[in-house]
Amino acid sequence: MVRILLRFSEDIVELPITAQIILKLKVPIAIVAAHVNSKGGEVLADVPDAMLDKVVKAYRAKGVVVSFPKLIEVDSEKCFSCGSCVALCPVEAITLDEDNTVVFNKEKCVGSTCGACVEACPARAITSVKQNNSIILNNLRAKKGKDK
Ligand code: SF4
Ligand code: SF4
């Protein structure tokens, strides 16, 4: 699965765009997090790798801005297990194990839509990083070139 960030403007936020794309392409799109109101919003979603091109194209055709979110990287050398980040994480992507060691579950992280732990870490052990999707981006660029 590839994580994508969808930005809906005020004029399209109430349209059932995701449902339409799921039905049309017969693709499972998993909503990981959403911050949406009548003024627009952001939705973080997981899309199967093989369908990424088609899904991105379908969203963009409907006026949705699609980007690839930043996720986090943790420097375990710098982390001194203070635990400050654990309680701040809204999706329980950071937990403590039995030894009180801080454990990061990056699959759960909602990336650039949050960033709470990045700001909070006194050791600057957590950084936002771009999802490693250079291959995907290259595929999209190549396809865009062919479509011209
Ligand atoms: S960026 Fe947010 S969601 Fe991700 S691990 Fe940090 S606090 Fe949790
Ligand atoms: S806030 Fe930083 S130093 Fe503290 S547990 Fe989290 S990553 Fe480690």
Side-chain angles (χ1 to χ4, degrees):
M1 299 291 265
V2 180
R3 191 154 287 183
I4 58 174
L5 180 64
L6 307 166
R7 288 199 178 88
F8 296 80
S9 61
E10 186 176 356
D11 49 329
I12 59 170
V13 72
E14 289 182 5
L15 301 175
I17 292 173
T18 297
Q20 288 168 351
I21 291 173
I22 289 171
L23 285 174
K24 187 177 170 198
L25 299 180
K26 297 188 174 32
V27 57
I29 298 174
I31 305 300
V32 178
H35 178 70
V36 178
N37 59 33
S38 59
K39 301 257 181 248
E42 290 190 340
V43 173
L44 200 61
D46 282 347
V47 177
D49 301 34
M51 292 297 284
L52 182 66
D53 280 4
K54 285 184 178 167
V55 171
V56 170
K57 206 169 174 182
Y59 272 114
R60 286 180 176 160
K62 290 179 180 291
V64 180
V65 177
V66 184
S67 60
F68 298 90
K70 287 181 176 180
L71 298 178
I72 55 159
E73 203 62 76
V74 183
D75 184 341
S76 53
E77 298 281 308
K78 288 185 179 173
C79 173
F80 60 98
S81 298
C82 71
S84 301
C85 54
V86 177
L88 289 173
C89 181
V91 292
E92 295 181 359
I94 316 171
T95 52
L96 291 173
D97 68 10
E98 300 94 35
D99 308 330
N100 280 338
T101 304
V102 180
V103 178
F104 287 83
N105 184 347
K106 292 182 191 172
E107 291 294 304
K108 287 187 175 179
C109 175
V110 297
S112 61
T113 56
C114 173
C117 62
V118 177
E119 300 295 321
C121 178
R124 297 270 171 243
I126 313 170
T127 47
S128 289
V129 291
K130 276 249 178 204
Q131 193 174 13
N132 184 13
N133 51 19
S134 55
I135 296 168
I136 296 153
L137 285 174
N138 286 340
N139 286 345
L140 283 173
R141 282 192 200 108
K143 192 150 188 152
K144 202 172 159 194
K146 273 189 213 155
D147 289 345
K148 278 180 186 171

